[in-house]
Amino acid sequence: MATTPQKTKETKKEDASIDSTLRPEAWEEYVGQEKIKDNLRVLLEAAKKRGEAADHLLFSGPAGLGKTTLAYLVARELGGMIKTTSGPALEKVGDLAAVLTNLGPGEILFIDEAHRINPMIEEVLYPAMEARKLHLVVGKGPSARTLTLDLQPFTLIAATTRENLLSNPLRSRFGATFRLGYYEIGDITKILERSARILGAEASAEAVEILARASRGTPRVANRLLRRARDFAEVHGGKSAAGTNIIDGPAARRTLEMLEIDELGLEPQDRRLLMTIIEKFKGGPVGVNTLAAALSEERGVIEDIYEPYLMTLGFLQRSPSGRIVLPPAYRHLKIQGHEEELL
Ligand SMILES: Nc1ncnc2c1ncn2[C@@H]1O[C@H](COP(=O)(O)OP(=O)(O)OP(=O)(O)O)[C@@H](O)[C@H]1O
Ligand SMILES: [Mg+2]
C-alpha cells in the first residue's frame, strides 16, 4: 500500500482497519469505475465459460482508489481462493517459487506494489505467467542445472501505483490493464453514505457534500475523513431524535479545519509544494529534482502522491522543462499579482 511518508504507524494501522471494515464485498457495493467493472465482468464471464483461468490482470492508479478491493472482487467472482504477496515481500527467487507452487488450479495470486518486484524475481515470473512453467536453477557453478516444474493454471493480479516503473517485459505479459482514475464527487458521495451506514453514523447531506469535496476523489481519504468527522460529532455534535450523533455541516467543516485540510482536500504539504514553486521558482518551470530538494521530499512521493491530484485540479502542469503552477492554483491560494503575469 502506498502511503505518504508523513503518516505515522498509527494512521497506517488505522487505515488498514478502516479499509477492511468498509471494503466492498460485492460488485454492487463497488461504486463507480463503471467501464472497468463492465470490462472485467465480460473478461471473467468468458473465462468461466471456457473453463479456463482468467487472463493475468494489472490494476494501476493512485493509492486508495480500490485496486486491492477489485482484486478481491475478481477472486470472489472466480470462486474464491486468493493468495496475496507484494513486490518487496518477494526477496528471493525461492519466495516466489514457494508461492507459485502452492497455487491450486484456478487460484489467484495477488502481487501488490508490483513495481517493486526485484528484476531477478521478474525473470522467474515471466515463464510462469506465459507458459505456467517454473524454471529453477539448482546447484552452483559447473554442476548447476535448470529444473522445470509445471504450475497449475492460475491468474496473476498485480497492482501498482506507479505503472511507469514497471518493466516492459512484465507489463506486456498481462492480458488486460485497468487504470483507475479519481472518483467523481457523486461517487464519493455514495461511498460516504454507504460507509456512514456501516459505521452507524448519521451525516447530513451538507456534511457529506463537504467531506466529499475534500476527499481528493479517493475512497480511502473519504472514509478517513468520515471517521474523523464522526469522532468530532461524538464529542461536540448534536444528537438526532434516536439519540445518535449527527455529523452536520459545521461538524464537517470543523473537522477539516482541525486536520488543516481545505475545501478542495489540499493538505499543508500540497500548499507547501505550490507555494515553494511560486515563491522560490517564480511559479516554475522547475525540474522535479530541484523541487524535491527544495521540499526535502522524495521525488517519487512528489510524483505519486502530490502531483496527480494537483494536476487533476488544474493547479499544476508537468512540462518538459519542469513543473508550472497554473492560474487556478493562484486563485485558490488567493495570491494576486502573479496571476496576471501568467494570463
Ligand atoms: N469503488 C469503491 N467503492 C466503495 N469503496 C471503495 C471503492 N474503492 C475503494 N473503496 C474503499 O477504499 C478503501 C481503499 O481501497 P483499496 O485498498 O482497494 O485501495 P488500493 O487502490 O488498493 O490502495 P493502495 O494503492 O494504497 O494499495 C477500501 O477499503 C474501501 O473501503
Ligand atoms: Mg492496495
Side-chain angles (χ1 to χ4, degrees):
M1 179 164 43
T3 45
T4 49
Q6 297 74 16
K7 275 204 205 164
T8 60
K9 254 198 185 136
E10 283 313 306
T11 11
K12 274 194 215 163
K13 237 197 265 162
E14 198 196 346
D15 270 357
S17 96
I18 311 177
D19 273 6
S20 60
T21 320
L22 299 175
R23 177 159 283 148
E25 288 184 354
W27 291 106
E28 309 79 71
E29 295 172 21
Y30 193 92
V31 177
Q33 312 285 359
E34 299 301 333
K35 252 214 161 99
I36 294 183
K37 281 192 288 187
D38 287 347
N39 286 333
L40 263 178
R41 277 211 207 101
V42 173
L43 191 148
L44 297 178
E45 214 43 56
K48 278 200 285 188
K49 275 213 177 108
R50 288 195 302 265
E52 290 171 1
D55 272 348
H56 304 304
L57 308 174
L58 176 65
F59 297 147
S60 81
L65 291 193
K67 300 179 294 296
T68 299
T69 308
L70 265 187
Y72 278 86
L73 285 175
V74 169
R76 187 171 272 243
E77 182 74 33
L78 293 175
M81 291 301 288
I82 179 164
K83 297 206 165 107
T84 73
T85 182
S86 75
L90 298 169
E91 287 177 6
K92 298 185 298 269
V93 168
D95 297 335
L96 178 63
V99 175
L100 287 172
T101 49
N102 271 315
L103 289 173
E107 283 186 8
I108 306 239
L109 172 60
F110 178 57
I111 306 187
D112 213 349
E113 297 187 69
H115 56 277
R116 294 178 61 190
I117 304 175
N118 138 356
M120 260 172 46
I121 293 181
E122 260 190 44
E123 294 287 331
V124 179
L125 202 50
Y126 300 152
M129 289 173 79
E130 247 165 28
R132 295 185 205 135
K133 302 268 186 218
L134 180 63
H135 300 303
L136 289 174
V137 180
V138 199
K140 281 208 172 97
S143 65
R145 56 198 176 88
T146 307
L147 191 73
T148 301
L149 297 176
D150 287 323
L151 298 167
Q152 298 287 352
F154 71 99
T155 298
L156 173 70
I157 303 182
T160 179
T161 49
R162 303 204 67 186
E163 196 190 333
N164 58 324
L165 294 187
L166 235 52
S167 72
N168 280 329
L170 180 59
R171 201 195 314 236
S172 66
R173 281 171 169 83
F174 291 97
T177 297
F178 297 95
R179 297 186 180 89
L180 284 78
Y182 291 113
Y183 291 66
E184 308 279 336
I185 296 278
D187 287 335
I188 294 288
T189 303
K190 283 188 206 145
I191 291 172
L192 282 167
E193 286 165 350
R194 169 180 177 272
S195 301
R197 268 197 309 278
I198 295 173
L199 296 174
E202 215 176 304
S204 73
E206 188 194 5
V208 168
E209 162 99 25
I210 292 169
L211 296 178
R213 288 200 180 283
S215 293
R216 309 171 76 92
T218 306
R220 181 182 292 131
V221 175
N223 288 338
R224 196 192 299 146
L225 293 181
L226 180 68
R227 285 275 284 243
R228 292 284 76 81
R230 186 184 68 156
D231 291 349
F232 182 88
E234 237 163 63
V235 180
H236 301 286
K239 294 227 186 289
S240 72
T244 48
N245 298 300
I246 300 181
I247 306 169
D248 55 12
R253 265 188 224 103
R254 287 278 291 126
T255 304
L256 295 181
E257 266 168 39
M258 280 178 359
L259 298 171
E260 296 181 75
I261 293 174
D262 70 24
E263 68 277 11
L264 290 180
L266 296 199
E267 299 181 7
Q269 306 88 277
D270 299 298
R271 289 190 288 270
R272 192 163 77 94
L273 183 145
L274 293 172
M275 289 309 292
T276 303
I277 300 179
I278 292 169
E279 289 176 346
K280 291 201 176 148
F281 304 100
K282 299 193 177 129
V286 53
V288 64
N289 289 324
T290 312
L291 184 60
L295 291 166
S296 311
E297 193 71 270
E298 269 175 53
R299 173 186 174 156
V301 172
I302 293 178
E303 288 179 327
D304 286 2
I305 315 268
Y306 304 139
E307 289 186 343
Y309 183 62
L310 292 172
M311 290 194 301
T312 308
L313 289 176
F315 282 9
L316 190 76
Q317 189 187 331
R318 281 180 186 163
S319 79
S321 48
R323 274 53 176 171
I324 303 169
V325 175
L326 298 176
Y330 289 90
R331 283 195 285 275
H332 179 70
L333 296 168
K334 302 198 172 54
I335 298 171
Q336 265 115 43
H338 295 264
E339 201 179 314
E340 286 87 59
E341 266 170 47
L342 277 166
L343 286 173

